[in-house]
């Protein structure tokens, strides 16, 4: 599991947020989006906790992804 915090069309914007949150940037298969993500997490419960923390930090759109 990973937690996606946000997605941007700009790599620069994604990398800026990722640095601020100590997260990683993942590029979409077609190269058009750059996602800021935490993880991976060993299980869904850990990922849910991380998502909750992201939402408390002001990222209500944070969501779980299964990788």
């Amino acid at each position: 599991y990973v937690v996606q915090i946000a997605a941007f069309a700009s790599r620069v914007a994604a990398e800026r947020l990722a640095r601020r949150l100590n997260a990683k940037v993942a590029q979409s298969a077609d190269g058009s989006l750059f996602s800021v993500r935490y993880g991976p997490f060993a299980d869904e419960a850990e990922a849910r906790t991380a998502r909750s923390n992201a939402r408390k930090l002001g990222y209500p759109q944070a969501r779980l992804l299964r990788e």
Side-chain angles (χ1 to χ4, degrees):
Y1 293 92
V2 296
V3 175
Q4 181 170 305
I5 306 302
F8 297 90
S10 164
R11 178 187 290 271
V12 172
E15 288 175 348
R16 186 178 305 127
L17 179 60
R19 277 193 303 275
R20 202 169 8 161
L21 298 176
N22 197 27
K24 297 177 184 175
V25 175
Q27 188 172 2
S28 65
D30 68 2
S32 66
L33 287 176
F34 301 90
S35 301
V36 179
R37 297 178 177 181
Y38 285 131
F41 297 97
D43 58 41
E44 189 174 352
E46 266 186 52
R48 285 182 185 277
T49 298
R51 180 184 64 188
S52 177
N53 291 339
R55 288 178 173 173
K56 288 175 187 174
L57 288 172
Y59 301 96
Q61 72 281 9
R63 62 187 184 138
L64 295 184
L65 301 175
R66 186 179 234 172
E67 288 193 329

